[in-house]
Every structure is written in C-alpha cells, then in structure tokens.
Amino acid sequence: MSDLETKPADDTAAGGRVNPVDNKFTRSLSHVLSDLGKNGIFIALILVVVVFEILTNGVLLRPQNVSNLIVQNGYILILAIGMVMVIVAGHIDLSVGSVAAFVGALSGVFAVNMGLPAWLAIVLSLLIGAVVGAWQGFWIAYVGIPAFIVTLAGMLIFRGLTLVVLGNQNIGSFPDFYRALGNGFLTDVFGKYNIDPLSIGVAVIAIVLLVVQSIRTRRGRQSYAQAVEPLGWFVAKLVLVSAAVLLFAYALATFKGIPVTLIVLAVLILIYGIVMNRSVFGRHIYAIGGNLHAAELSGIKTRVVTFWLFVNMGFLAGLAGLVFTARLNLAGPKAGDGFELEAISAAFIGGAAVTGGVGTIGGAIVGGLIIGVLNNGMSIMGIGIEWQQAVKGLVLLLAVAFDVYNKRRSGGR
C-alpha cells in the first residue's frame, strides 16, 4: 500500500480529527469570555463594591448605607440617563448642573415664597426645565451652533439666573409632599414588620419578570438559529442577578423600605430603556451618532431629533434639580456645582463612546453607581475631597482608555 493511501488512517489515529467534546467546550468557553467582556462594567461595579466593603469593614453594605447610596446619588443617575442619550447622538451638555440649580431655585419660589401647592410647583418646574432644553436645542439643531458652545453658554446663563432668582440666599423649608421626592420612603404600607414585605415582594416580581424575559429572548434567538450562550452559563447568570436583587431588596426592607427616588429611577430606566432599544426615535439617535451624513441621506430628520433630545435633557435636568433640592430641603446658590462632570463621567464609565453612536441606559446607570460607591466608600474611610476628585478622574481616564483600546482591537480583527 502506498504512503498516500495510508496517510488518512495515520492522521485519524494521531488525533487529526477534531474531538466534538473539546470543540463544544472551546465554543462554550469562548462564549463565556466574550459575554464577560461585554459585561465588563458590571464586573467592575462588583469589584468596586467588594473592595470598599473590605476597606470600610462592612459599613458599605449595611442596610442604611445601601439606601443612602440610592438617595444621595439619585440626581446623578437621572442626569446620566439624559446625558448618555446626548452623547450617543454625538453631542455634549455642560449646562445640566446650572439648569438643575435654576429649576430647583424656581421650585423654591413657587412652593415656598408663592405658597403654591407642591404638586403644581413640581409640574411648573419640570415644564420650565423642558423650555430651557428647547431654548438650547433650537440653537444647536436649527442654528447649527455646536452643542459644546451652546451648553457652555447655558452653564453661565442659568448659573447667573439662579443667583438672580435666589437673591444670593437660600430658600427653605419645603412642604412634606415635595420633600418626599428626595427623602421619602414607602414604609409600613402593609403594616409594621421588621422586614418590609413590599420591598421583598417587588424584588420577587422583578426577578420573575427578568427570568421570563430572558427565557423568551433566548428562545427567540434559537428560533432564528442565532448563537446563544451555554445553558449552564445562562442559568448561572440568572441565579447571580436574582441573588443580587434579593440582597439589595433585603437591605432596603430592613431599613425604611423603598425610597421614592428609587421608584422615580426605576420608572425612568424602564421608559428610556424602551425608547432607546425599541422605538424609532431611539434608533434615530444611534444612527445620528454613528454617522450624521448617512442618517441625513437615509431620510432621518436629524434637526428634529436633536431638538427633542435637548428638550428631554432639560426636562431630566429639571427633575434632577427637584430631587436634589428635596433631599436637602433647601434651594441654594451652590446647588448643581459639578453635576455635569459627574453625569458625563457616569456615561463614559458606563461604556458610551467619545465619538458617539455607542452607549446604553443601563451602562450609564452602572457608571453612576460606580461613582456613587467611590464617593461613599472614600467618605466612610475619611479620605479628603481632593483625593476623591483625583481617584474619580483616574477612573474616568481608564474607562475611556479601555473604550479606545477595545475599538482598536476590534478594528484589527
């Protein structure tokens, strides 16, 4: 028998044929590693929490502190939702801190000085925030002035108007209904218990909805012959997320219950998540940020989208101003200082691309939580504000550097 005739048998005997088990394991491992890479921001949040839980000797995850993390950072998370949408579209908004302060000051005039009902003061303040956004959106969308310049001017204009409205004085205190926006809790709704049943019940419902939606999504992909993660990894992720939600709910349930700020955030995340992922408006935002000229040629009314994007940002800045003012029970001239920087940092740490076209609501929320944990953890440790600023700046730089690295690596492939 010739060498050519015996070669296939030799190759097979030497293991030339791929082992199906090894091949399946390799594909599964590759999928898991890829999934971890896509969810790196969540892993970063977990690592930050674990590090500060150790460094603070367990103080970070005490029930009271977990609740405080949400209440104290609610306004930044609200701003981060609007900011990531603006950044995805390829713009920036430097005025959100001043707009928040301006709207908070006006709400003080309405609710305290003029004695209007708290609900009416809130509604009027939110409308003014939207009008401010429309003012800036007009110059950006229809006049063509870059958003950086318009919002930089807005930062100065509305900071000055805040001082005018307040007369360089503080306004307080606010009615109970108003204060509940920043300091309220759903406590003892079903009676007095050591562990609030409402908090646990809401968590269980959220977990059930998450599991059902995840299973539906997985089956939908399988029906279209799309690649899905290994079943074991899929179940493990659901178990880990469910456990995290239950632990978070338990912490709230053993303190005062669900903060009103968390309810506001949950509603905003749900609404804006649907807008960005499932609506025509959201797809237009991503298209404009990805390639403005291509979006125009495809028939997207880019000016209209940009205008309403900034109207929305003004509305959310106003809401953030109300939440912050309600938490302090005070409208002051210094309110809003640095808000824009933290909101922008949250969006970029959460995975938004500097050039636009990339970013998610969930990522911005996680980015905001990372900033909140850094602030809270370093404060508990007694680290000075100067070092806190330096650490946050370093985290922002590393987050953007990681984004640039990923883009270059993807381009190389």
Side-chain angles (χ1 to χ4, degrees):
M1 188 176 291
S2 66
D3 291 340
L4 284 175
E5 291 173 329
T6 58
K7 187 173 182 179
D10 294 338
D11 286 344
T12 302
R17 186 175 298 169
V18 178
N19 189 328
V21 176
D22 291 342
N23 193 32
K24 184 177 180 180
F25 174 77
T26 303
R27 287 200 307 268
S28 299
L29 181 61
S30 176
H31 198 110
V32 170
L33 293 176
S34 176
D35 203 24
L36 289 174
K38 292 176 183 177
N39 296 281
I41 185 64
F42 294 98
I43 297 173
L45 174 61
I46 293 171
L47 289 176
V48 170
V49 169
V50 170
V51 167
F52 278 104
E53 174 69 1
I54 296 171
L55 294 177
T56 59
N57 297 317
V59 175
L60 182 74
L61 293 182
R62 288 180 182 173
Q64 181 176 355
N65 198 58
V66 171
S67 183
N68 288 340
L69 273 171
I70 300 299
V71 174
Q72 292 173 359
N73 295 282
Y75 63 94
I76 292 300
L77 298 178
I78 292 171
L79 289 175
I81 291 172
M83 187 64 71
V84 73
M85 296 172 69
V86 170
I87 290 173
V88 166
H91 300 290
I92 200 75
D93 192 336
L94 302 177
S95 69
V96 293
S98 296
V99 174
F102 176 62
V103 172
L106 286 176
S107 71
V109 173
F110 295 148
V112 179
N113 293 356
M114 296 176 63
L116 295 178
W119 67 268
L120 182 58
I122 291 172
V123 171
L124 288 175
S125 300
L126 291 176
L127 287 175
I128 290 172
V131 170
V132 169
W135 159 263
Q136 298 194 121
F138 167 77
W139 291 103
I140 297 166
Y142 294 106
V143 179
I145 301 176
F148 180 89
I149 301 299
V150 172
T151 57
L152 178 61
M155 180 175 68
L156 301 174
I157 292 170
F158 295 108
R159 177 59 61 184
L161 290 178
T162 301
L163 299 177
V164 171
V165 170
L166 293 174
N168 211 23
Q169 296 179 346
N170 296 325
I171 296 179
S173 68
F174 288 80
D176 292 341
F177 181 84
Y178 185 105
R179 290 204 306 271
L181 191 61
N183 279 322
F185 291 84
L186 294 184
T187 306
D188 301 333
V189 174
F190 297 117
K192 248 187 175 340
Y193 295 92
N194 292 330
I195 299 177
D196 179 42
L198 178 63
S199 302
I200 301 299
V202 170
V204 171
I205 293 173
I207 290 171
V208 170
L209 293 175
L210 172 66
V211 171
V212 170
Q213 181 60 35
S214 299
I215 292 174
R216 288 182 60 186
T217 302
R218 179 182 174 86
R219 287 179 176 175
R221 289 177 178 173
Q222 287 176 327
S223 66
Y224 286 100
Q226 295 179 352
V228 295
E229 63 231 285
L231 181 60
W233 176 241
F234 174 75
V235 173
K237 282 201 306 182
L238 287 180
V239 170
L240 290 173
V241 173
S242 300
V245 172
L246 277 177
L247 289 174
F248 176 69
Y250 179 78
L252 298 181
T254 53
F255 183 54
K256 290 183 178 180
I258 302 175
V260 173
T261 303
L262 179 59
I263 297 173
V264 173
L265 275 171
V267 172
L268 290 177
I269 292 170
L270 179 62
I271 292 174
Y272 284 98
I274 293 173
V275 168
M276 291 299 284
N277 295 324
R278 299 182 180 274
S279 73
V280 174
F281 184 74
R283 289 195 292 271
H284 286 177
I285 292 174
Y286 281 107
I288 291 172
N291 191 317
L292 176 60
H293 297 298
E296 290 174 341
L297 291 173
S298 66
I300 296 175
K301 297 179 180 179
T302 57
R303 292 183 178 181
V304 174
V305 173
T306 300
F307 174 78
W308 285 107
L309 196 59
F310 279 91
V311 171
N312 175 70
M313 187 70 257
F315 171 82
L316 290 177
L319 179 58
L322 295 178
V323 170
F324 182 77
T325 303
R327 186 175 73 83
L328 295 183
N329 194 24
L330 188 74
K334 292 294 184 180
D337 283 352
F339 285 13
E340 61 282 340
L341 300 181
E342 296 210 350
I344 293 170
S345 298
F348 284 133
I349 291 173
V354 179
T355 54
V358 176
T360 62
I361 300 296
I365 293 297
V366 175
L369 288 175
I370 289 176
I371 293 176
V373 172
L374 288 173
N375 287 335
N376 187 266
M378 288 188 288
S379 296
I380 293 172
M381 294 172 62
I383 296 175
I385 188 67
E386 66 280 3
W387 284 107
Q388 292 187 31
Q389 297 291 345
V391 170
K392 287 189 291 185
L394 180 61
V395 170
L396 174 60
L397 179 62
L398 292 176
V400 176
F402 181 72
D403 173 63
V404 172
Y405 167 75
N406 274 342
K407 283 184 177 178
R408 287 179 179 172
R409 188 178 62 175
S410 299
R413 285 198 301 267

